[in-house]
Structures are given as structure tokens and as C-alpha cells.
Amino acid sequence: PGHPRSAPRRATEPACILIVEDDPAQVRIATRVLQKAGYQVVQASDGIKAVDIVRRALLRSAPPVVDGQPVRTINLVILDLVLHGMPGEKVLQKLRGISADIPVIAATGLDAGSRLTEILKKGATAIVAKPFENKVLLDAVALALQKAGKES
């Protein structure tokens, strides 16, 4: 209640995925894999930019522009848990303050054990290991979008 929901997509509109990652190599890999699968990809190199992009896209106030087109919504976020500046857990908390519904896949290269359970309790939809494996990443994205009702 009180949180904006992601706008439903028209059948021809690809899901828009925000990648929040400060490692350029990981961004390149994930972007290439996701775009090849037909998704629109938006990138943020830190948590502050990510929160701003999601807020502007979902609240429709001065939407961010990607490839010359305004981004009207973010359908899913892939969030690195270890970021410079604002930690991934804090970014997750802020994203949940904007929308309880947007799927957030936490990405980590750490073997964090019980910490990962806490991340799920705090609102992450799923967790994927880095470096990204194409099939694992695509399966996690498809499942998260399907659970959120954004893809059939």
C-alpha cells in the first residue's frame, strides 16, 4: 500500500533490468547475456544511482533515458551486494522503500553463508553467484519475472 507497482508491459515491450554493479567486466557479461535474451538493460555503478533510477522510473518523474528512449519502469534489479559507497544491503532496503514489488536478485562473489539468508529475509527475490554463469543468470531472471507476473 502506498508503493508504486511496476507498470504492466505491453507484449512487445521487453522487460527492463537494472544492473547495479561496480565491476565493469561483470556489467559487460551480464549486459551482453541479458540483451541477447531480449531484455532492455540499464546500468548503475553504485547504489545512489540505482536508487535514483528506480525512483525516477517508477514514479515517472523525469524518467532516465537509455539508448535515447525514456525508461518508464524497471521490471527487475540485479544488485551486487558489495558496492563502493552504499552497501548492497542498504540499497536493497532503499529499493524496498520505493517498491515492495520489484524483484531484486542479489549477486555476490562471497561465500556469505547465513548472511545470504538475511538478504532473502530483507526482501531479495533470489541470489546468484558471481562471476555470472549465463544459464544461471537467465534462469534466475526469468523465474523472478514470472513470479512477479511480468512475463508469461
Side-chain angles (χ1 to χ4, degrees):
H3 292 298
R5 291 183 175 269
S6 295
R9 291 180 297 115
R10 283 176 250 124
T12 57
E13 246 178 71
C16 184
I17 299 172
L18 172 62
I19 300 173
V20 188
E21 171 64 67
D22 54 10
D23 178 346
Q26 292 299 318
V27 171
R28 277 193 304 276
I29 292 166
T31 298
R32 186 174 52 242
V33 168
L34 293 167
Q35 286 178 337
K36 190 174 177 184
Y39 297 108
Q40 181 183 15
V41 177
V42 182
Q43 302 166 5
S45 58
D46 64 53
I48 293 167
K49 289 178 189 161
V51 170
D52 182 59
I53 288 170
V54 170
R55 181 178 288 119
R56 288 172 45 209
L58 295 186
L59 299 179
R60 315 287 195 287
S61 61
V65 175
V66 177
D67 298 330
Q69 297 296 318
V71 175
R72 301 284 177 208
T73 194
I74 298 291
N75 300 105
L76 181 138
V77 176
I78 298 172
L79 173 64
D80 182 12
L81 292 178
V82 181
L83 292 166
H84 298 297
M86 187 187 305
E89 290 177 55
K90 183 73 172 171
V91 177
L92 177 60
Q93 180 185 14
K94 288 187 173 289
L95 292 175
R96 285 291 166 247
I98 297 168
S99 172
D101 299 320
I102 189 168
V104 178
I105 297 174
T108 183
L110 305 175
D111 180 15
S114 64
R115 183 168 163 241
L116 297 182
T117 302
E118 287 302 311
I119 297 296
L120 291 170
K121 286 180 183 174
K122 290 179 181 179
T125 307
I127 297 171
V128 293
K130 294 189 327 182
F132 296 120
E133 292 182 32
N134 298 1
K135 182 173 178 1
V136 172
L137 181 62
L138 289 173
D139 287 350
V141 166
L143 184 60
L145 288 172
Q146 185 178 29
K147 280 184 176 177
K150 302 206 177 17
E151 214 166 71
S152 49

